[in-house]
Amino acid sequence: MTNYTYQAVVNLEKAEESHGTANFIIKYAPPYRANRSSIPLDCKRGFFEYSALLHVPTHFNSGTTSIPVQIPEAIHHDDQAHILIITDLGQNSRTLKQCLVEDAKSLDVQQVGKALGEWLAELHIWGRTEAAAPLRRVLSQNNDLTDGPIRYACSRLLPEDDPLWKAVRAHIDDLRDLDKKGDSNFVVHGDFITGNVMVVPKVSQNGVKTTKLAVIDWEAANCRNFTWNDIGQMCAEMYFPTFFGHAGNLGTEMVSAFLKAYISRRELSEEERRMVIIRFGVHIFVWPGVTGWGDKMSVAECQKLGKEYVARAWKYDWDWLKESIVRNLVPIL
């Protein structure tokens, strides 16, 4: 957790022509990680999140699923106090990660995966447009958290002297250096995972139950050409509940629907597909042991599988990958 986060309930009974209450989320960004004060962080991360919420379209109208995807509304940012106020998505909202772990069968995983895949592709497409230029200018200053998840993951590729891990780290460093010399005309979320997607249940006045999704935590948003990072780590997080026995095969089904939907909107080159798979493998190698997904034995098995994916993608072993969880990324050769 990088910030202190609070829910505020404002009584509107005394406000003119207003009734009831209004709920808000208040995020305080101190000059360090909230859960580890020994790790310094730039207080401007709240400003970058505020900017992203102001500029990214509230929703993209081109979705073909029954589940809309949106973002919270930015209410206020105090640059001196480092406080960000956004709309509250409701007390019944849960993260997609919670839903997959606790009650995956309650989700229409095909529709959720499809909705998120289409939405992410549209974000990446929009990020290249002139309409996104003002946001890109702001995000170009976001150096502290720009690729924090990638840097952290690479630092956990152990043992450090393993030839594969050395090659992967060097390649990702090269991509960083190359991007610094390029135009950086992109907008990516930067930390696109199931923990940063909220499932928001709604009940209409006539009793009809619906669901919408909301993408939160934009402080790592940046303008670098790391679209593969958004895709790869989300696939890994969708897959964890299947691997660790919480969701049956539903996590794998969500991955498939997510990838199909993304590629239907935005084509990926062979190299981009390869980098998505490498990012997927790195994520499932690193994060289960950090975030406590399973016991020592199951985490070790997950790490073994993650390294297998990285090794296969590194060698362009499409024959093996076309039978894998990420088969939808295999190019038609």
Side-chain angles (χ1 to χ4, degrees), residues 218-271:
W218 288 78
E219 60 191 41
N222 63 86
C223 60
R224 302 181 75 172
N225 186 11
F226 290 164
T227 55
W228 47 267
N229 180 59
D230 279 354
I231 306 167
Q233 63 178 359
M234 176 57 85
C235 288
E237 290 288 324
M238 286 178 172
Y239 175 60
F240 282 153
T242 284
F243 184 90
F244 290 100
H246 301 287
N249 200 45
L250 295 179
T252 303
E253 291 179 19
M254 187 177 287
V255 170
S256 179
F258 172 74
L259 290 174
K260 285 180 181 178
Y262 185 96
I263 294 171
S264 73
R265 296 302 179 92
R266 180 176 181 268
E267 185 52 65
L268 295 171
S269 68
E270 181 180 8
E271 184 59 24

Side-chain angles (χ1 to χ4, degrees), residues 252-323:
T252 303
E253 291 179 19
M254 187 177 287
V255 170
S256 179
F258 172 74
L259 290 174
K260 285 180 181 178
Y262 185 96
I263 294 171
S264 73
R265 296 302 179 92
R266 180 176 181 268
E267 185 52 65
L268 295 171
S269 68
E270 181 180 8
E271 184 59 24
E272 286 176 310
R273 292 167 186 251
R274 176 176 176 250
M275 284 306 302
V276 171
I277 299 170
I278 288 173
R279 184 67 180 92
F280 171 80
V282 166
H283 200 89
I284 64 176
F285 179 89
V286 170
W287 283 102
V290 176
T291 51
W293 271 100
D295 57 23
K296 187 175 181 180
M297 183 177 297
S298 61
V299 167
E301 287 298 314
C302 194
Q303 290 180 323
K304 180 179 178 181
L305 181 64
K307 190 171 184 179
E308 178 85 351
Y309 271 94
V310 175
R312 297 290 182 172
W314 191 253
K315 297 184 295 184
Y316 296 91
D317 189 351
W318 300 120
D319 286 337
W320 186 88
L321 290 165
K322 71 182 180 182
E323 304 298 328

Side-chain angles (χ1 to χ4, degrees), residues 52 55-57 60 119-129 131-137 139 184-190 218 221-227 230 262 266:
H55 287 88
V56 173
F60 296 106
W119 180 88
L120 183 63
E122 294 296 335
L123 172 69
H124 291 165
I125 292 169
W126 175 83
R128 300 283 282 166
T129 66
L135 178 59
R136 291 196 301 266
R137 285 193 289 270
L139 296 184
S184 295
N185 282 339
F186 296 83
V187 171
V188 296
H189 182 275
W218 288 78
N222 63 86
C223 60
R224 302 181 75 172
N225 186 11
F226 290 164
T227 55
D230 279 354
Y262 185 96
R266 180 176 181 268

Side-chain angles (χ1 to χ4, degrees), residues 2 34-35 61 69 78 105-106 126 150 153 167 169 180 209 215-216 225 244 301 314:
T2 59
N35 60 345
N61 294 320
V69 183
D78 188 320
K105 292 182 179 180
S106 67
W126 175 83
I150 306 174
R169 282 195 296 267
K180 290 176 184 177
K209 294 182 180 180
V215 180
I216 63 171
N225 186 11
F244 290 100
E301 287 298 314
W314 191 253

